[in-house]
Structure formats: structure tokens, C-alpha cells
């Protein structure tokens, strides 16, 4: 590859970049070059040509900060035995400029943040489920065609206590701290009911609020943590100033520059509070309440969709279970229980009045993630139905247990990933007691795998055509493709790298774009050989336009957000 030059303004020129070994850069294995003013000459061992990286008037990025999480031998053993996607991150934090192959669009200016589990052990104890890992943020900062990346553990109370005591101290998704006696077990149960023992490990999502604050989230309300999107520093708790109480909420609120909506499940009197929060405040206000039509507890609401005028409240027959919550060891459905006899329902609430305008029974369903929803109207502009799309697992609850780390790490080539589809709910406004649930397109278009969707945010709550997701190239035990779905043509286009595990494809629209798919799709890829890279696909053609290799592979992550350049 040829050399890279940066202009005095810091703009990357269009030549490909040269990889810089860690030893040449700073004497540490596995790092990208830390840049400063001047010229660095590098020898490419594969040729006799001396390659140069020329940098002028560019501020030096922060040097990598090494905080070992395990002895090197233990890390090497893990990487030899397991796919890097399911292996704890090598160190607590790192930052550096990445070598880019291809061309990053100059209009792409801002930071992509991805949250997810990064550490699946503490001391000698290995966690059991994908959702248990301590949160790690990854950042990709794009400017002038260049890319500076970094990652850092989120310093929750759960993470800090575990590091200090070298043991689990809070209840995670499937993990419960070991108690020394019956009395300490009783004390743990008391702390559970008060919420004190629930984790604040905010390892699920990250959102930019309308006032600019960036918050990491999980399903416990206490697990709302404010971070600095530039440094990835943990700034403190996001404390709600209202008196609504409760222990849990939807892990995925609806967040725009003007809107914040979320659901608070009521475990005592089964139902959901639909609440909103104004930008710049920490106070949630109740829009309305939905009473469950089935029992014995509200259905799990990991996410939910909205339209321009309505909130869609799903009532899934996979319901919260207090008995399972109290157990010291996980059940196959963890904190939930499957109640097909209680049926499935979808409720539609008016945002303005809080009134329920439709409440219908639907076929049994299992979903973690809704994609989008919109209003169908007649010729006179009256709403006749709500259409809501989700990643639906064919009412198969086994997907939850398939996400145990033992299952993910033990792939032997068998096709064991449960089928999934784009499930389309149609909720009529004609007073009918029943709604529909059908596949929005043939699931074979995306390998009968479907999860981790994103859309053009300008189409949130509106009729839309495209979605970007993780699909399947079978045989597999986990979604392993990036997929662009065309809901008009009912077709899908798939990107696949054999043995790689891609994370959620995140769409960023080009400023001023008039076409829905005019933009780029960002994903982080964990490779089977232990390496990893950031990937950019053209949102329209779904062809690769750039990739940038990390100094080492990163574990699989969950959800992200975009923070535009100020």
C-alpha cells in the first residue's frame, strides 16, 4: 500500500494507509501508531520499499492506557479456544488511529458509539450468558476521512465492586452473588426487593438525549449511566427526579431530539406505564397506563415501537416471573416464564391523550427488538390500522437459552440457530378484537435469521422501505451476516465474511439526502482468527466502501448510537 499524507488542516488525503506495528509505534504489542507532529518511517517486511506516514499539525491522540484484565497466558488460551466474539476484552481501555482500507466519505463527521458486554469473567469465575458481561463502550470517531477508535469499560458500581473484591457483587442477568449462609441469603432477598442488589451494569444500549447527554442503559432503572462520548469516561448515574419508582424499564426507549418515551412494567398490578421525559430534564411524566389482558405478570418489553401519534405496547406471553427472579441458579428462561395460555396482545395508546384506542389479541410471539411502526390511512387521511415490524422468533423461546456463552463458544458446524423472521403486526382500528402477525418477506431471503435492526432515523414512526439487520448464512449458531431488507420489493441483500461475527448494522444518513437509503452502514466485525475491524457499507448498494483493522479483535457488542460532530 502507498503512504498516507495529512494536510495542514488534518484532512486525510485519498491514498490508502500503511499499517503500523505496535513495536514500531510505541514498543507495545498490538497497537496502532500514536500520531504526533513529524514523520515516522516504517519498513514493510514484505517488500524492500520503505513506507512513510506523514503527519503535519495534527494533535496527538491519547496514548493507549493498559489495564490488564487477565494474565497474558490466560488471554492467549481463551483466544485459542474461543471465537474472539465470545472472549473478554484484552484490556480495560485503548485509543488510537486506525489504518483505513478504502475511502471514508468526507461528509461522515461524528462518533459512532457501541455498547455491549466486554468482560465475561471476574477473578476465576466465568459468566454464563451473553447478557451478563460488564459493559464496554467502543467509539469510532470519523472526521475528514480519518478514523480514531477507542474502547473502555463502563465504570458501573457493579463493575467497580467486582474489580475491588474480585467476585460478583450484584445480580446480573443470569448470575447471582454467592452467599455464605442462610442469613446472608435472606439479606440478599431483602436487597432484591428494594432493588439494592440489582445490577447497574449498563451493557445494553447507548442513546444521545435531546439535550446532548449520552446515557448507557440496561433494563434496571438504576443501570442508567451518563458517559462522555469523547473520552468514554463514566460521568455518573442518570438519576430520575420523579417519584414513579419501579425497578425495571424498557432497555430501548424511543429517543429523538424532541422526544423520550419508555415503558415501565408494573409487576404488582400487571400492566405498563407509558411515560415521557422532556429534553434537559430527568423527570418522567405518565402519558397513560395499559392493564395486561393476560396474566400472571406483564410480558417482557425489551423494546417497543411508536408511530407519529401512537405508542405500540406489546404484551408478550413470555412474562416476567418473580419466582425465577428469586432463584439462586438460572432457569432455561431466566427471569421469565412462557405462558401460551395467557395469549399475546398488542395495545395502541394515543400519545396526546393517553387513551387506549385499540387492544387486540395477536398470535403468540417472541421478540427482543422492534424495528419500526407506522400508520395506515384511508383516502380521507383517517388511520385505519397500525403496522409494527419486529425481529420475531416464531414464538420460540429457546433463542434465550441459545445465547448462553457455552453454546456460542461450542459451535461445531451444526445449524442450531432458531429461525427468525421480520414479523409484521397489523392492528386494525375498526374495533376488531384480533390483529394479524405475518412475515413481511420470505425469511429465506435473509437465511431465516433476523435481529439487531436499524433504520434511517428520519423514518422513525413513518412508512418506510429499508431496514438493516443481522441475518444468517447457515449452518450457524448465531446471526452472521449483515442484511439490507427491502420491504417494498420483499428482497434482502446480504454481506458475509466466513467465520466472522458482525454486530448491529447502524445506519447514518448523508446530510441533505433525499433517498431513504442514502448513507452508510457501520458495523464492528469480530473475526474467527482473533482479529477484528470496523466496516463501512454503502447504504444504497450495500457494497463495502471502507474497513479499518483494530489492533486486536473485540468481543461482540449490542446496540449503538450516533453523536454528530458539534
Amino acid at each position: 500500500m502507498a503512504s498516507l499524507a495529512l494536510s495542514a488542516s488534518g484532512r486525510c488525503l485519498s491514498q490508502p494507509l500503511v499499517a503500523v506495528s505496535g513495536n514500531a509505534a510505541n514498543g507495545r504489542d498490538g497497537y496502532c501508531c500514536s500520531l504526533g507532529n513529524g514523520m515516522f518511517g516504517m519498513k514493510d517486511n514484505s517488500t524492500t520499499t520503505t513506507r512513510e506516514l506523514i503527519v503535519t499539525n495534527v494533535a496527538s491522540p491519547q496514548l493507549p492506557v493498559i489495564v490488564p484484565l487477565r494474565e497474558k497466558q490466560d488471554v492467549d488460551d481463551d483466544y485459542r479456544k474461543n471465537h474472539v466474539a465470545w472472549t473478554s476484552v484484552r484490556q480495560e481501555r485503548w485509543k488510537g488511529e486506525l489504518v483505513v482500507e478504502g475511502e471514508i466519505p468526507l461528509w461522515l463527521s461524528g462518533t459512532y458509539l457501541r455498547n455491549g458486554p466486554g468482560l465475561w469473567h471476574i477473578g476465576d469465575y466465568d459468566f454464563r450468558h451473553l447478557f451478563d458481561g460488564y459493559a464496554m463502550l467502543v467509539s469510532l470517531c470519523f472526521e475528514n476521512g480519518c478514523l480514531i477508535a477507542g474502547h473502555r469499560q463502563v465504570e458501573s458500581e457493579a463493575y467497580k465492586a467486582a474489580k475491588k473484591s474480585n467476585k460478583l457483587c450484584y445480580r446480573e442477568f443470569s448470575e447471582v452473588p454467592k452467599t455464605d449462609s442462610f442469613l446472608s441469603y435472606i439479606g440478599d432477598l431483602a436487597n432484591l426487593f428494594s432493588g439494592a442488589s440489582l445490577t447497574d451494569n449498563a451493557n445494553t444500549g447507548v442513546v444521545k438525549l435531546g439535550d446532548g447527554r449520552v446515557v448507557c442503559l440496561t433494563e434496571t432503572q438504576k443501570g442508567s449511566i451518563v458517559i462522555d462520548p469523547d473520552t468514554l469516561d463514566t460521568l455518573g448515574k442518570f438519576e430520575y427526579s420523579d417519584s414513579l419508582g419501579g425497578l425495571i424499564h424498557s432497555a430501548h426507549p424511543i429517543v429523538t431530539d424532541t422526544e423520550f418515551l419508555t415503558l415501565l412494567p408494573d409487576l404488582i398490578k400487571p400492566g405498563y406505564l407509558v411515560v415521557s421525559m422532556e429534553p434537559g430534564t430527568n423527570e418522567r411524566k405518565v402519558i397513560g397506563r395499559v392493564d395486561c389482558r393476560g396474566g400472571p405478570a406483564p410480558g417482557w418489553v425489551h423494546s417497543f415501537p411508536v408511530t407519529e401519534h401512537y405508542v405500540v405496547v406489546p404484551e408478550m406471553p413470555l412474562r416476567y416471573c418473580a419466582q425465577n427472579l428469586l432463584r439462586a441458579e438460572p432457569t432455561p428462561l431466566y427471569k421469565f416464564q412462557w405462558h401460551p395460555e395467557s395469549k399475546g396482545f398488542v395495545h395502541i395508546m394515543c400519545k396526546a391523550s393517553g387513551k387506549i384506542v385499540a387492544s387486540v389479541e395477536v398470535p403468540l410471539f417472541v421478540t427482543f427488538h422492534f424495528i419500526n411502526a407506522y400508520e395506515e390511512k384511508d383516502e380521507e387521511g383517517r388511520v385505519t390500522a397500525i403496522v409494527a415490524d419486529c425481529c420475531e422468533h416464531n414464538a420460540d423461546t429457546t433463542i434465550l437459552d441459545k445465547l448462553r456463552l457455552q453454546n456460542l463458544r461450542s459451535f461445531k458446524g451444526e445449524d442450531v440457530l432458531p429461525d427468525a423472521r421480520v414479523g409484521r403486526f397489523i392492528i386494525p382500528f375498526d374495533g376488531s378484537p384480533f390483529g394479524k402477525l405475518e412475515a413481511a418477506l420470505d425469511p429465506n431471503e435473509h437465511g431465516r435469521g433476523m435481529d439487531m435492526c436499524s433504520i434511517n432515523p428520519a423514518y422513525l414512526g413513518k412508512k418506510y422501505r429499508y431496514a438493516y439487520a443481522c441475518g444468517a448464512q447457515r449452518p450457524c449458531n448465531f446471526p452472521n451476516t449483515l442484511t439490507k431488507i427491502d420491504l417494498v420489493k420483499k428482497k434482502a441483500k446480504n454481506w458475509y465474511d466466513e467465520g466472522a461475527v458482525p454486530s448491529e448494522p447502524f445506519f447514518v444518513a448523508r446530510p441533505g439526502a433525499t433517498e431513504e437509503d442514502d448513507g452508510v452502514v457501520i458495523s464492528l466485525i469480530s473475526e474467527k482468527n482473533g482479529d477484528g475491524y470496523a466496516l463501512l457499507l454503502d447504504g444504497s448498494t450495500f457494497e463495502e466502501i471502507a474497513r479499518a483493522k483494530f489492533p486486536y479483535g473485540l468481543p461482540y457488542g449490542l446496540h449503538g448510537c450516533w453523536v454528530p460532530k458539534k
Side-chain angles (χ1 to χ4, degrees), residues 513-560:
T514 57
E515 297 297 326
E516 183 180 344
D517 59 351
D518 186 356
V520 298
V521 175
I522 303 170
S523 181
L524 301 179
I525 313 297
S526 302
E527 296 183 274
K528 63 180 179 180
N529 64 359
D531 293 335
Y533 55 93
L535 176 71
L536 263 65
L537 301 176
D538 183 285
S540 177
T541 66
F542 216 55
E543 300 293 334
E544 179 177 332
I545 57 176
R547 69 170 63 189
K549 189 172 182 179
F550 289 105
Y552 44 79
L554 296 177
Y556 179 77
L558 297 174
H559 304 284

Side-chain angles (χ1 to χ4, degrees), residues 410-416 474-477:
S410 61
F411 181 55
K412 298 295 191 299
E414 304 92 346
D415 191 25
V416 294
R474 294 182 181 270
C476 60
N477 69 338

Side-chain angles (χ1 to χ4, degrees), residues 229-343:
D230 298 319
T231 64
L232 303 186
D233 288 344
T234 298
L235 302 180
K237 297 281 189 185
F238 186 93
E239 301 281 2
Y240 296 99
S241 60
D242 53 70
S243 57
L244 294 179
L247 302 178
I248 54 179
H249 59 183
S250 171
H252 295 282
I254 302 296
V255 182
T256 69
D257 287 342
T258 59
E259 191 172 51
F260 180 102
L261 299 169
T262 194
L263 301 183
L264 308 183
D266 185 342
L267 304 183
I268 305 302
K269 184 183 177 184
Y272 313 90
L273 288 181
V274 180
V275 302
S276 65
M277 186 170 68
E278 293 292 326
T281 75
N282 290 38
E283 182 182 4
R284 298 164 300 180
K285 297 180 180 179
V286 176
I287 295 175
R289 176 186 165 90
V290 175
D291 290 320
C292 288
R293 290 179 56 184
W300 186 23
V301 283
H302 185 73
S303 69
F304 66 100
V306 300
T307 70
E308 292 184 86
H309 303 100
Y310 301 99
V311 179
V312 180
V313 182
E315 185 182 338
M316 186 162 56
L318 183 62
R319 298 179 181 273
Y320 296 96
C321 177
Q323 288 179 324
N324 286 354
L325 191 63
L326 296 174
R327 294 179 187 271
E329 292 295 324
T331 70
L333 291 180
Y334 302 91
K335 314 305 182 191
F336 314 104
Q337 245 180 12
W338 181 240
H339 289 276
E341 76 286 350
S342 73
K343 303 178 181 179

Side-chain angles (χ1 to χ4, degrees), residues 471-524:
Q473 176 81 26
R474 294 182 181 270
C476 60
N477 69 338
F478 194 80
N480 58 1
T481 71
L482 298 173
T483 299
K484 179 184 179 180
I485 299 164
D486 186 331
L487 292 165
V488 173
K489 291 186 176 180
K490 299 189 180 300
K491 292 290 184 180
K493 187 171 184 179
N494 301 291
W495 175 96
Y496 175 68
D497 183 358
E498 184 180 358
V501 178
S503 67
E504 175 186 65
F506 190 89
F507 180 85
V508 180
R510 182 180 63 82
T514 57
E515 297 297 326
E516 183 180 344
D517 59 351
D518 186 356
V520 298
V521 175
I522 303 170
S523 181
L524 301 179

